[in-house]
Amino acid sequence: MNRVHKEKGFSLIELMIAIAVVGILASIAYPSYQAQIADGRRADAQANLLSLVQHMEREFTENGTYIGASLPYNEAPRDGNAKFYDLSLASQAATTYIILARPKNVMAGDECGDMTIDNIGRKTAGAADCW
């Protein structure tokens, strides 16, 4: 009795097709993943800006002026080693201030660019839908 044994496994063509499909899926998914990471970093910077606004308002309540107030921290995020935004007082007067978040490191080329918030809550950024 002769039995014909069929080889089990993948042919080179099948393997190359599978690799091509995985490559195409990865090329679509990776930029979307990167955009989501950037959105998260931007949201963290915005949360820090809002926290600093509260700090400045407490300073004004205690002293009656924004002059002399300083920010309790100057980088975002506050935790971890990687810092993606520099935080600073862009301008400061007796009754007004502007807090600036400037992207740095891997966020330096972010489309939103610098984000600001002032004493009356006006928010600005490099693109319209960043806040």
Side-chain angles (χ1 to χ4, degrees):
M1 263 195 195
N2 276 342
R3 287 191 172 178
V4 177
H5 291 282
K6 186 170 179 172
E7 295 295 323
K8 294 181 182 181
F10 295 103
S11 70
L12 183 58
I13 299 280
E14 291 170 329
L15 183 61
M16 294 304 290
I17 289 171
I19 290 172
V21 168
V22 169
I24 291 168
L25 290 175
S27 70
I28 293 168
Y30 188 70
S32 177
Y33 169 75
Q34 289 296 97
Q36 290 298 317
I37 294 295
D39 287 348
R41 291 173 179 159
R42 193 177 310 116
D44 182 67
Q46 292 166 348
N48 279 286
L49 284 173
L50 294 173
S51 175
L52 292 173
V53 164
Q54 292 174 349
H55 169 78
M56 292 298 288
E57 293 307 318
R58 283 190 300 274
E59 288 284 332
F60 188 82
T61 300
E62 291 174 8
N63 303 317
T65 183
Y66 295 117
I67 294 177
S70 62
L71 301 179
Y73 54 92
N74 60 7
E75 289 183 314
R78 295 189 318 196
D79 300 332
N81 294 328
K83 303 299 181 185
F84 303 111
Y85 284 87
D86 283 327
L87 306 171
S88 63
L89 283 168
S91 73
Q92 184 178 19
T95 58
T96 63
Y97 65 85
I98 298 174
I99 304 173
L100 168 71
R102 175 160 286 150
K104 66 180 186 175
N105 298 329
V106 297
M107 292 299 289
D110 187 39
E111 65 186 28
C112 291
D114 293 350
M115 295 183 294
T116 65
I117 189 165
D118 66 11
N119 58 294
I120 59 172
R122 280 185 298 220
K123 302 169 185 172
T124 65
D129 61 346
C130 290
W131 271 92

